[in-house]
Amino acid sequence: MQETDHIQQKLPNQEIDYFKIGKILISRWYWIIGSLAAFMIASNVYLWYTPKIYATSGSMKLEDKKSEITDLSNIVSGTERGVSRIQSETSVLQSNAVILKAIKDLDYPISFYVEGRVRTSELYPAKPLDIQIVQFDTLNYYHDLIKFQAISNDHFNLTYNLGGKEVSKNYLFNNPVNIASTTFTIKGAHGINKNAVFLFKFNRPEDFIGRVRGGLRASETAKNSNILALQMTDANPKFAADVLNYIMKEYLVYDRARKTQSATQMINFIDEQLKYLSSEVKGSEQSIQTFKQKNKLMEVSASADAALNKGKDLEAQQSIIKVQILAVNDLQQQIAKEKNSITLNFDAGGAEMDPSLGKLVTSLDALLNQRNELLKTYTPNSQQVQDINRLVIQLKNSALNSLGYTSANLKKKLAYLDSQLAVVNQQISVMPVHEREIIRLKRDFDVNDKVYSFLSEKNLEAQISRAGILPGATILEQAQPNNSPVAPNEHDIHRSAIIFGIAVGLGLIILIRILNPYIYDKETIESLTTIPIIGVIRKFPEHIDEDSSQILAISKPKSIFAESVRSVRTNLNFLAGDKQSKIICITSEVAGEGKSFVAVNLSSTLSLIDKKVILIGADLRRSKIHKTFKVPNDVGLSNYLSYQATVEEVIQHSDQPNLDFMVSGPVPPNPSELLHSERMQILLDELTKVYDVVMIDTAPIGLVSDAIPLIRLSNINIFVIRSGKSKFYAATVPQRIAQEYHLDNTVIVLNAFAEDLLHSRYYTTKFAGDSSTKYYYYSDYSGYEASGYYIDEDKKKWWNLKRWIR
């Protein structure tokens, strides 16, 4: 129980070594350099193949719209000054109507291109060929690129795809060319290089809408500044500048047309009335002349003339009021139907109308237009649109109430005039027949003439008002071509390539470490088990044959490998120090971890210090001892354990003084039972009387149980872990065996260690402060290869030229 408690120790403290982390990350510097080079090459290829994008900008100032009514008007004005107005004007600028008109102004029916090694570039505004379109159907025309190549001064070649096949034909200059449903001529190519090759295609204005809308951006330069910044991006800087200038121009035209719409509707209304009255005035005048000639009348009496003048004035007033009522009814219908533009038809001839009606109608018209613009961006249920709808309802109710009051007043006036006119008509009715008729004709003529004059005056006022209307925006800065590309950004792309290159290189290092399942260094073992490490055997830098026939610790005595083996030999002296003869058992988890190799080299180094050593090949299933010493495996341990040979018959002597060995012998059918037999105990008792060290090379403990009896009989148990071969689980095996069989004589040897920072642990083990921790001094000899203490006489140095010249 005491031995078990001694084994169950705490793992040693380990601290993060930041310097070692740095060494790990730069251990595969060539991965980072390779990754960085790959990303830099990819970035350059991307920049080479990606078309450059150019940006041009312009600016416009939106004129302030002042409040025109109180209360509700202030709310409308406040809303309009906010973000919604900028969004509305931006929507207008980006609308298909404005963009399409701008493209038509551009007049770009044919696009020309030049074909490069990497990409095809547009030549706008250059027109290297004079192409005249003869027949072009916008619904059915040839859309694809056509390749032009001059052959001579009279002939040229066109190559194009038709029906999925490539067609190449020669044509004459100035002669019609028909491709599909498109007909055109190409003028003489004087001055064109015969080897020149151009591409061209036919366009509709609608074909450019997507291109223009995709590159157009609009935003307010500062909050409430009313300065709208416009930007156009395109692969052709001249195209971008021209399109943006035309868009700003067409926006002003659109805005002015929207503002003059009210005056235009007013003029159209008056023109319809004037057209009707013009015919009426001419008919009345002709009727008077005809009646006078027929009845031979010159003038009427004074009383008739007075009645005529009074009736004429009353009927003129009636006609004007009827026109006013007609205008009020038309306005009521527009408001009720919520048309996009509402017109207050002039001032109704000075009728007594609500003074705020004009402002209400103007505000309502502005709100309806604003709502239409918002609906291009927002849904009808959005908060912005709902707010506008509430204001529209309030203004509609106020306007309709005012119009109802005005209409009622006009109808009262009309009824009063009707009563006055009835009195005049009664006076006229008692006059002679001829005078009554001439009075009627003159009265109709004078009334129509007066109304006609009144409407003509109003028409002139409306035209003057429309001519004075200015757009609600001003172009502050025209767009200019900018030949400095904004995309792709070479600086950002190269910077990103460097960042990603380094990140991928470091990420690859981290990924390889995460996916690594093997043990590479002593710090990893120390983090997994409390079993002490007795030493680290370096990996021999040259080729080792499969059978380990060369005993390297002797054949290369000045190598760093031999020194690492001697370090393990030194630490073995501290184990089982009270034993005159030591039994050392060497095992591992699986085959191939170098236990036989360690056993051979440890035995050879122990024999060099006058220790009489015997090496036993106790792996009865797959031993290599006989191959190392180049002897047959006919008689060995299996023969002795099965009573087929004596001790003297199975012990063999090596060329190395003080080193004997015992091969495993033929493979028996029951190796585990033989090793568990009493005869094995007797053999070890006899050997310890003769030898100072009995070294036992056993079978892998992780594969078979053959080594268990030998482990329990041994004074020292060495568990071999091979760097880069043994997995993490292997480090836990010796502690589990020690705890299960209550052993306190188990140690670990890390075999075939070669410094590899990539897989090394970034912790440093701290043993100080724990007196119960059992550990041994050893070195992994990292960094000491070039110290001059470890020399391989047969190794040729590249700087020692004399050794290469024989």
Side-chain angles (χ1 to χ4, degrees), residues 243-261:
V243 166
L244 186 55
N245 286 329
Y246 280 123
I247 287 176
M248 291 191 291
K249 173 187 171 185
E250 287 299 331
Y251 170 78
L252 298 183
V253 173
Y254 173 86
D255 187 67
R256 186 178 183 278
R258 184 172 57 178
K259 290 187 173 184
T260 58
Q261 185 176 5

Side-chain angles (χ1 to χ4, degrees), residues 517-552:
Y518 300 108
I519 295 172
Y520 278 88
D521 58 358
K522 57 185 178 60
E523 284 79 12
T524 303
I525 300 174
E526 291 166 347
S527 68
L528 296 171
T529 182
T530 59
I531 299 298
I533 302 174
I534 199 173
V536 176
I537 297 178
R538 295 284 298 203
K539 182 178 181 179
F540 197 74
E542 296 181 4
H543 174 69
I544 302 175
D545 64 83
E546 183 180 356
D547 301 326
S548 301
S549 59
Q550 67 270 49
I551 303 176
L552 300 177

Side-chain angles (χ1 to χ4, degrees), residues 302-318 415-432 435-444 446-447:
S303 59
D305 188 59
L308 173 62
N309 290 332
K310 188 173 182 180
K312 177 177 63 177
D313 291 339
L314 291 173
E315 287 187 343
Q317 293 180 37
Q318 276 187 326
Y416 174 76
L417 292 176
D418 286 340
S419 64
Q420 294 294 316
L421 187 60
V423 175
V424 174
N425 289 334
Q426 181 66 31
Q427 294 176 358
I428 295 175
S429 63
V430 299
M431 293 180 182
E435 284 192 358
R436 288 203 310 267
E437 185 65 23
I438 195 65
I439 289 173
R440 184 186 66 79
L441 292 175
K442 281 189 175 184
R443 189 169 64 181
D444 290 341
D446 291 339
V447 168

Side-chain angles (χ1 to χ4, degrees), residues 569 573 604-612 658:
R569 177 192 67 187
N573 293 328
S604 64
T605 56
L606 285 169
S607 67
L608 293 176
I609 57 173
D610 294 331
K611 296 284 187 180
K612 196 168 183 181
N658 298 325

Side-chain angles (χ1 to χ4, degrees), residues 89 111 194 204 234 249 463 520 609 632 644 721 736:
E89 302 308 319
S111 303
K194 293 182 180 180
R204 295 181 309 159
D234 195 80
K249 173 187 171 185
Q463 290 182 2
Y520 278 88
I609 57 173
Q644 298 176 7
I721 294 176
R736 291 192 301 105

